[in-house]
Amino acid sequence: MKNVKDKMLKEVMALDFMALELNLYLNTHPCDQMALMIFMSTVQQAKMARDNYERMYGPLTAAASMSFPWPWIEDPWPWEHQ
């Protein structure tokens, strides 16, 4: 199960990175329609991936959770992974 969780988290991170890079590109190339379409698709994919991850494993950010105690403190810290 840990491999599935890690794979899902890496997918979220990759899609978020791609969206950020496309956003930066579009700042200097605002008329690139193909890049804009890819950006919009990537943002949608990232949201779906994040929603799936959070539904299965809990929130990725404090803003995503209004429960107390914070659910992410139950997981190992990044330096505790083997």
Side-chain angles (χ1 to χ4, degrees), residues 11-82:
E11 180 182 5
V12 170
M13 291 167 46
L15 288 165
D16 282 346
F17 177 79
M18 186 173 170
L20 177 62
E21 289 295 309
L22 284 163
N23 187 23
L24 292 172
Y25 173 81
L26 286 166
N27 284 344
T28 58
H29 300 81
C31 296
D32 189 335
Q33 291 299 310
M34 181 63 77
L36 180 59
M37 288 175 26
I38 295 170
F39 170 75
M40 291 169 49
S41 173
T42 302
V43 168
Q44 184 178 27
Q45 290 175 44
K47 181 182 180 342
M48 288 174 29
R50 190 175 308 102
D51 290 347
N52 286 337
Y53 181 92
E54 289 180 342
R55 186 172 39 259
M56 292 180 70
Y57 302 109
L60 289 169
T61 64
S65 174
M66 296 309 226
S67 64
F68 185 79
W70 306 116
W72 59 81
I73 63 172
E74 302 301 323
D75 289 336
W77 292 96
W79 55 86
E80 295 175 329
H81 287 278
Q82 295 181 4

